Amino acid sequence: MGRILDGKAIAQRVRAEVRAGAVALAESHGLGVGLAVIRVGEDPASAVYVRSKIRACEEVSFRSIEHHVPAETPEAELVELIGRLNQDPSVHGILVQLPLPPHVDADRLLLAVDPAKDVDGFHPLNAGRLLTGRPGVRACTPFGILRLLDETGIDLPGRRAVVVGRSNIVGKPMALLLLERNATVTVCHSRTRDLEGEIRRADVVVAAVGRPELVKGSWIKEGAVVIDVGMNRLPGGKLVGDVEFGPALERAAFVTPVPGGVGPMTVATLMANTLQAARLALGLG
């Protein structure tokens, strides 16, 4: 029987580290770290996510600035707002909450964010820095997953890692981060012919495809580490991940729960990225 990898507890430690860093910046440079969040319209899930990020800012002694604008706000006005935030020295991170209304081009807004303030790590410049192995902001969810893996004590060099999903937000950057750690990485997707076979050989499985319990527990290699990024609501309201949790826990060394695994780490990593952006703005590296 494996162990549940408690993302909430680890995220709390990350937040404590960020708070200590923010307090140190305030004491040494008189700097208050600022995170601006842009929310367009009344999407209920977006409102919940933004509230959680504002609470996280309060916990780590950041200043949070929410710009909540009507759903009909023209795209040009949103680009102008981002431009003002780019120029504001009190704002160190800018987050555009997705999804956006149909008339707004999300790519245009994300491109408008100064890469130095792109604490989500979505800007193509930051993605390119990851691809080429250069320093830069890393996407929050994959970077948080690395911290989870570190907490297990697994030795990544030479290990077989399978990433299920190839999105720009999780799958692709996750594969690149694992390659940076010298893992042997396979990316699986909807066209993969033998998903079961690939997973059976994996020492690390990161499931991020958005299909409930696609990865069966019986596929998991004995002693593997399983990171479940999925968050799927079944009829009746039950939340499940992309991995069949109970049977996976019987075979794996560690499995993240859903909820309470990757989600808290994503928000904690967003705070860590914002602190790093503030330090870089001061030339502290």
Side-chain angles (χ1 to χ4, degrees):
M1 178 67 71
R3 293 169 56 188
I4 295 174
L5 191 52
D6 187 350
K8 288 182 179 179
I10 298 167
Q12 197 61 40
R13 292 203 292 273
V14 173
R15 291 186 188 189
E17 294 165 6
V18 172
R19 178 181 172 82
V23 170
L25 275 186
E27 291 175 349
S28 62
H29 293 80
L31 178 71
V33 181
L35 174 64
V37 182
I38 299 172
R39 178 162 68 95
V40 185
E42 303 299 335
D43 180 77
S46 291
V48 171
Y49 294 145
V50 168
R51 282 198 299 271
S52 72
K53 290 161 187 172
I54 290 173
R55 285 196 302 270
C57 284
E58 293 171 353
E59 185 177 339
V60 300
S61 296
F62 287 3
R63 183 173 64 94
S64 62
I65 312 102
E66 181 183 4
H67 292 270
H68 181 202
V69 299
E72 61 272 15
T73 302
E75 183 180 289
E77 287 187 19
L78 296 170
V79 172
E80 183 181 348
L81 170 59
I82 292 172
R84 293 198 302 272
L85 295 172
N86 284 338
Q87 298 301 316
D88 186 343
S90 71
V91 172
H92 303 99
I94 302 170
L95 172 69
V96 179
Q97 183 63 50
L98 303 177
L100 294 165
H103 72 280
V104 178
D105 182 349
D107 286 340
R108 184 184 177 196
L109 260 60
L110 295 175
L111 281 169
V113 175
D114 182 345
K117 297 187 177 187
D118 164 43
V119 289
D120 256 335
F122 293 164
H123 195 285
L125 181 59
N126 286 322
R129 285 173 173 160
L130 171 59
L131 178 64
T132 55
R134 299 181 182 183
V137 180
R138 303 315 194 206
C140 294
T141 298
F143 206 38
I145 289 170
L146 269 192
R147 176 65 181 264
L148 287 171
L149 291 171
D150 288 342
E151 293 283 336
T152 70
I154 189 172
D155 187 27
L156 285 173
R159 296 280 192 168
R160 289 181 176 270
V162 167
V163 179
V164 187
R166 51 180 168 177
S167 72
N168 292 331
I169 294 173
V170 181
K172 291 177 184 176
M174 186 75 255
L176 291 169
L177 286 168
L178 288 165
L179 281 172
E180 276 193 340
R181 294 290 194 89
N182 297 311
T184 300
V185 183
T186 300
V187 179
C188 296
H189 45 78
S190 59
R191 300 291 180 88
T192 299
R193 293 187 177 181
D194 183 16
L195 180 61
E196 177 181 349
E198 296 291 348
I199 289 173
R200 283 188 180 277
R201 292 186 288 272
D203 303 300
V204 175
V205 178
V206 179
V209 72
R211 292 179 59 183
E213 299 182 331
L214 171 71
V215 177
K216 304 306 177 188
S218 61
W219 299 356
I220 301 301
K221 180 180 178 180
E222 290 282 350
V225 177
V226 179
I227 307 293
D228 193 347
V229 187
M231 182 76 76
N232 310 286
R233 193 173 296 277
L234 299 178
K238 182 183 179 182
L239 283 174
V240 299
D242 291 351
V243 177
E244 194 179 27
F245 178 78
L249 191 61
E250 293 178 5
R251 299 176 60 83
F254 294 90
V255 183
T256 56
V258 176
V262 172
M265 289 301 297
T266 298
V267 178
T269 305
L270 174 67
M271 300 297 112
N273 281 353
T274 305
L275 176 64
Q276 179 66 3
R279 290 180 56 82
L280 290 172
L282 289 172
L284 298 176

